[in-house]
Amino acid sequence: MQKLGSVIVSLSAIAIAALLVVLVHQNWRTHAAPELSTPYHAVALTNNQVFFGRIDGLGSDYVVLRDVFYIQSRVVNAETKQVANVLVKRGGEWHAPDRMILNRQHVLLIEPVKADSQVDKLIAEQNKQAR
């Protein structure tokens, strides 16, 4: 009878230890930074702005974006009010920024820019012209 009690206590201890390992692993996975699978990502902010760039820092209170682009709408034809969207590279502004540091609380979502997507092609074209 004592052996049965010892076995039950041992099995209970093993079960509790296994449960703790699973909980610690889940907690670690929940708080780990997501994997960045492509060179460029779209970053949507809570103010409805979207930027495209290379994410440099993701695991802190601030997301750092380098090689940043955004879409600007321009009127092409004043008579028809036709609008064209143009991809613009940041850095040409008066203060010549080389990166954006975004408060993580204002980042709504981050999505990968898929290779051969329209944005990827436009970024490649812009980078080619800059050389």
Side-chain angles (χ1 to χ4, degrees):
M1 194 63 150
Q2 284 181 327
K3 284 186 177 183
L4 182 60
S6 300
V7 169
I8 291 174
V9 168
S10 296
L11 289 176
S12 297
I14 291 170
I16 290 171
L19 180 62
L20 284 174
V21 167
V22 168
L23 290 175
V24 167
H25 178 70
Q26 285 293 83
N27 187 41
W28 175 79
R29 279 188 36 201
T30 301
H31 296 299
E35 181 183 328
L36 301 176
S37 57
T38 60
Y40 287 92
H41 287 79
V43 178
L45 304 177
T46 55
N47 66 359
N48 294 326
Q49 290 182 302
V50 177
F51 294 96
F52 304 92
R54 294 180 183 273
I55 296 178
D56 196 13
L58 191 59
S60 71
D61 289 340
Y62 295 92
V63 175
V64 179
L65 262 184
R66 294 187 187 277
D67 199 17
V68 182
F69 297 85
Y70 61 93
I71 295 175
Q72 186 176 63
S73 297
R74 297 180 180 166
V75 177
V76 195
N77 187 331
E79 289 180 16
T80 63
K81 297 182 181 177
Q82 182 182 1
V83 176
N85 293 321
V86 179
L87 189 70
V88 178
K89 182 169 180 146
R90 289 213 57 205
E93 296 84 2
W94 287 9
H95 62 295
D98 65 343
R99 67 186 173 278
M100 289 182 74
I101 302 169
L102 305 167
N103 187 324
R104 187 175 69 184
Q105 293 177 342
H106 297 288
V107 174
L108 186 60
L109 63 89
I110 297 172
E111 293 181 331
V113 172
K114 190 173 179 183
D116 291 334
S117 67
Q118 187 65 30
V119 170
D120 184 61
K121 290 174 186 174
L122 291 172
I123 288 173
E125 186 178 304
Q126 287 264 351
N127 286 337
K128 190 176 183 181
Q129 289 176 2
R131 291 181 192 159

